[in-house]
Amino acid sequence: MNAGERREEILQLVRTQGEMSVESLSEMLKVTASTIRRDLAKLTDSGELARTYGGVIAVPTESETTLAERSHEAPEVKRAIGSWCARQVPAGSHVLLDAGTTTAQVARALRDTAPLSVVSSGLTSLQQMADLEEVEFTLLGGRYRPVSQGFIGPITEAGLEKFTFDFAFLGADAVTAEDGVCEALPEQVRLKELMSRRATHVFVLAHAEKLGQRPFHAWADLGNGWTLVTDDSADPAQITPFEDRGIAVVRVDQMGNAVQS
């Protein structure tokens, strides 16, 4: 293949597999490391890839909304989803909360459930629980992302591996039955996949407008052992693809009660 075709192949590999090193790309494409470095220089200069300590990652093709902006999206729906989720958690449980505005509503609703052991990758959950003496709260460190007020990266992943959980509540920029959870960065979806492996019960929280959407190109495959929690405005055409793949779906009304599909 010529240089242009090789660079397009590099883009596709990084977008589908996440962060990749010079060495792995050199081996997969059967060219020298110096050739790969020249290709990466071109791709980073054009803004299509971004450098990391270990290699390169894809740059999102859509702009990612900030946490402050997301806090104004469907607040009543998120509060209702958070309320239903919290009622699934008995006192004494070990709970994992992803970063995000909807998981923050789970944290808010869990304030009356004690004692609890809570681990989170996001500051929003800490803000909801920081004053509670009967909640043992652990914040996962790592590389801080102001856009989400959360932590990602190898330090976050290493901390996560020290725990197991009864319940994990994960946020999403979007979710599809075919590909799973969509996020802006490969590091985010890798963290979600690791989170899902550490918990007995895994819930993905996404209001109806996020179902079936594809705003970015990084995807977390959680398998079929998880439950989608959405709101009651989701129609059958949005729900059926998940149920057909064996994924449980809970639709929640504005009072935080599950309703029939």
Side-chain angles (χ1 to χ4, degrees):
M1 65 179 72
N2 60 36
E5 293 170 335
R6 188 174 60 249
R7 288 167 195 159
E8 184 61 32
E9 182 69 16
I10 290 171
L11 275 175
Q12 292 304 314
L13 286 169
V14 175
R15 285 170 177 167
T16 57
Q17 299 192 29
E19 182 177 352
M20 298 193 71
S21 67
V22 171
E23 292 75 17
S24 61
L25 287 167
S26 174
E27 182 177 344
M28 293 179 73
L29 297 177
K30 301 190 185 309
V31 295
T32 65
S34 60
T35 297
I36 293 296
R37 289 190 185 96
R38 288 194 296 271
D39 289 335
L40 296 183
K42 289 282 188 181
L43 293 168
T44 53
D45 286 346
S46 66
E48 295 172 281
L49 295 179
R51 292 281 189 181
T52 67
Y53 181 79
V56 289
I57 59 173
V59 173
T61 57
E62 302 283 347
S63 60
E64 185 179 5
T65 56
T66 67
L67 186 133
E69 291 169 330
R70 291 197 297 273
S71 68
H72 297 293
E73 297 174 359
E76 295 301 324
V77 168
K78 293 177 181 179
R79 192 172 294 114
I81 289 173
S83 176
W84 182 88
C85 289
R87 293 201 301 273
Q88 313 312 304
V89 179
S93 297
H94 290 250
V95 180
L96 175 62
L97 296 174
D98 195 5
T101 54
T102 311
T103 50
Q105 290 302 320
V106 180
R108 183 196 63 81
L110 282 171
R111 287 180 58 85
D112 296 328
T113 304
L116 284 176
S117 175
V118 177
V119 174
S120 181
S121 60
L123 293 183
T124 50
S125 292
L126 174 62
Q127 291 162 356
Q128 293 288 343
M129 295 184 143
D131 62 325
L132 301 180
E133 295 185 0
E134 291 191 86
V135 173
E136 182 183 86
F137 194 100
T138 300
L139 182 65
L140 297 172
R143 178 162 68 85
Y144 179 65
R145 302 186 71 235
V147 69
S148 65
Q149 294 186 22
F151 296 88
I152 60 172
I155 295 175
T156 317
E157 295 166 11
L160 177 66
E161 293 290 345
K162 304 299 181 183
F163 300 93
T164 57
F165 305 95
D166 302 307
F167 302 91
F169 297 98
L170 309 183
D173 281 340
V175 59
T176 72
E178 298 79 14
D179 294 314
V181 175
C182 182
E183 293 289 343
L185 298 178
E187 290 165 293
Q188 290 174 279
V189 296
R190 172 174 167 78
L191 183 61
K192 290 183 193 298
E193 288 177 344
L194 293 176
M195 286 177 164
S196 72
R197 297 170 192 166
R198 306 303 293 173
T200 303
H201 304 287
V202 178
F203 298 86
V204 175
L205 318 182
H207 60 81
E209 292 181 5
K210 294 183 176 183
L211 304 185
Q213 300 303 305
R214 297 175 175 273
F216 305 112
H217 294 281
W219 294 89
D221 181 1
L222 306 183
N224 293 333
W226 54 281
T227 298
L228 171 65
V229 187
T230 189
D231 64 273
D232 60 357
S233 70
D235 61 44
Q238 293 174 291
I239 299 299
T240 300
F242 293 94
E243 295 178 333
D244 287 347
R245 290 176 177 264
I247 297 166
V249 180
V250 176
R251 295 168 65 246
V252 177
D253 65 20
Q254 290 195 3
M255 300 300 295
N257 298 314
V259 298
Q260 293 294 323
S261 299

